[in-house]
Amino acid sequence: MKARTYLALSFVAATLGGCNGHSEEGGQAAEAAAIRPVLTQVVVPSDTVTFGPFAGTIEPRYQAQLGFQIPGRMVARDVTIGDLVTRGQRLAALDTIVTRFDLTRAEADLADAKAQAENADAAEARTRRLMSGNSVSQATLDQAVAKRETARARVDQAMASLQKARDQMGYTELKAEFDGVVTQRLAEVGQVLSAGQGVVTVARPDVREAVVDIPESHAGALPADGVFTVALQSAPELTARGRVREIAPLAEAGTRSKRIRITLNQPGPAFRLGATINVSLTRQVPPHVRLPASALIEGDGRRSVWIVAADGKSVSRRDVTVAAARDDAEDGRVVVVDGLKAGDRVVVAGVHVLKEGQAVRLTDGAV
């Protein structure tokens, strides 16, 4: 009987011991689960705001697409893309056979008109002498005068036609209107061209601009007196300054962006036509802190964030002042103007599952 009692008591003690052990393990797990990992950001105040950067290219402010004033077959093209040209230099030429025939015919027409005019003058003079002797009627004299005037008019007409033929001979050569560089080739030797059809495009490299497309929503935020920084993508250390000269009135249909032209102030030789650039604008603003919108807690008329304690083991809630939405603010971020100081560590994810004094653990992703 005593043996049975001893075995029963031993079983109960073992059972209770097992239960106590399980309870201790559960308490330790619950305590560990209460410590939440958090992603944070260290506060670094900034007193500047940057608009951009946006990619663009260097383009000339002045350029012209040049073509012949008359139709014809092109027999020569003296320049190609990248060539430097001077004012008056020949760029291309047309076949002169047809225009030379026109010139010869105009010269012949003028000689004929002058001969007819001389005969008309002589006939009018003879008629006047006969009229003085009452040998012819007044009507005959009037006819002689009319023929003389008609002949002189034909001379004037023939002289104009000759001048036109000479001008067209000159139009068979295409010459540069100004010093520049050839940026485009539009026709080849042997091609039959119509009047005004483009042959080459010549640009003036002395006046260069930065051309960039920016989102339509940002175009209204451009300051009228803003000075942009233009940097070469191939050599970011090389920069130039410039101001907006022109904003396209309409946005491009596909991208909803507007083209901005920025006049450069004394750009260096590295800013060649066609170079790829980055354009940005940095302005001084009151000190502020940019945080992801996910860091902000809003409710009960308060705007606040969670601040990690100095030992990195708990959080506390702190009210902050958020600036009104600005066009130059980055997407998905808020601008805090008061309530934070340099070095504060702010929780930026999972803020709605935390509570005052919550035990936390900093993750490797802290920033």
Side-chain angles (χ1 to χ4, degrees):
M1 181 68 178
K2 292 183 179 180
R4 292 181 178 178
T5 302
Y6 178 78
L7 291 174
L9 292 174
S10 299
F11 177 79
V12 172
T15 303
L16 292 176
C19 292
N20 289 339
H22 184 273
S23 177
E24 290 177 1
E25 291 177 359
Q28 293 174 357
E31 182 179 357
I35 301 177
R36 294 188 177 276
V38 292
L39 180 65
T40 62
Q41 174 179 323
V42 177
V43 171
V44 180
S46 173
D47 59 357
T48 61
V49 62
T50 301
F51 180 84
F54 299 101
T57 56
I58 298 296
E59 295 185 9
R61 181 172 181 178
Y62 304 107
Q63 64 178 351
Q65 187 180 100
L66 304 181
F68 294 100
Q69 299 186 44
I70 59 175
R73 183 174 65 90
M74 191 167 72
V75 295
R77 193 193 67 246
D78 303 331
V79 295
T80 189
I81 297 176
D83 288 349
L84 296 176
V85 298
T86 57
R87 182 176 181 179
Q89 178 181 340
R90 195 182 86 160
L91 307 178
L94 294 177
D95 189 352
T96 61
I97 293 178
V98 176
T99 51
R100 194 172 298 279
F101 285 159
D102 291 339
L103 178 59
T104 302
R105 184 178 61 184
E107 291 173 345
D109 288 344
L110 178 60
D112 179 67
K114 287 182 176 180
Q116 294 293 337
E118 291 177 0
N119 290 335
D121 287 341
E124 188 263 345
R126 289 194 300 268
T127 303
R128 285 189 180 278
R129 289 195 297 270
L130 293 173
M131 181 65 184
S132 61
N134 295 324
S135 300
V136 296
S137 64
Q138 182 64 42
T140 302
L141 177 61
D142 293 342
Q143 289 178 357
V145 172
K147 289 181 179 180
R148 183 202 63 187
E149 295 298 328
T150 301
R152 290 181 177 179
R154 284 191 58 197
V155 171
D156 294 339
Q157 182 180 12
M159 291 179 64
S161 297
L162 177 59
Q163 184 60 47
K164 179 180 178 180
R166 288 172 177 170
D167 291 342
Q168 288 187 332
M169 277 296 298
Y171 295 155
T172 59
E173 291 188 347
L174 181 63
K175 297 182 179 181
E177 301 291 336
F178 49 81
D179 297 345
V181 58
V182 178
T183 60
Q184 197 173 14
R185 186 181 65 195
L186 304 171
E188 300 296 336
V189 173
Q191 187 174 346
V192 177
L193 308 176
S194 58
Q197 183 176 343
V199 176
V200 294
T201 299
V202 179
R204 288 179 52 182
D206 54 332
V207 183
R208 287 162 284 173
E209 293 183 330
V211 179
V212 60
D213 295 330
I214 68 172
E216 184 180 13
S217 58
H218 289 65
L222 289 176
D225 57 346
V227 179
F228 284 79
T229 299
V230 180
L232 290 174
Q233 287 190 0
S234 59
E237 67 278 5
L238 298 179
T239 61
R241 299 286 185 174
R243 294 181 181 272
V244 173
R245 180 183 68 85
E246 177 183 286
I247 300 177
L250 299 177
E252 201 278 327
T255 61
R256 303 309 304 169
S257 60
K258 286 190 173 183
R259 177 149 294 186
I260 309 298
R261 293 186 173 272
I262 300 173
T263 300
L264 300 180
N265 181 23
Q266 297 180 349
F271 288 83
R272 299 183 179 90
L273 297 180
T276 306
I277 55 171
N278 285 326
V279 177
S280 60
L281 172 64
T282 302
R283 293 184 293 166
Q284 293 290 329
V285 295
H288 64 278
V289 178
R290 293 184 183 277
L291 294 175
S294 59
L296 192 64
I297 309 171
E298 297 185 83
D300 302 329
R302 301 172 60 191
R303 289 183 172 181
S304 53
V305 296
W306 291 111
I307 304 296
V308 180
D311 58 6
K313 296 182 179 181
S314 62
V315 294
S316 61
R317 188 168 176 175
R318 184 186 300 175
D319 291 342
V320 295
T321 302
V322 179
R326 298 192 314 209
D327 293 331
D328 57 0
E330 297 178 4
D331 294 339
R333 290 183 174 268
V334 294
V335 179
V336 178
V337 295
D338 191 22
L340 297 176
K341 63 181 182 297
D344 286 342
R345 188 177 289 274
V346 180
V347 179
V348 296
V351 297
H352 296 290
V353 298
L354 299 178
K355 60 183 180 179
E356 188 70 28
Q358 173 79 53
V360 297
R361 174 173 56 84
L362 301 182
T363 66
D364 294 337
V367 293

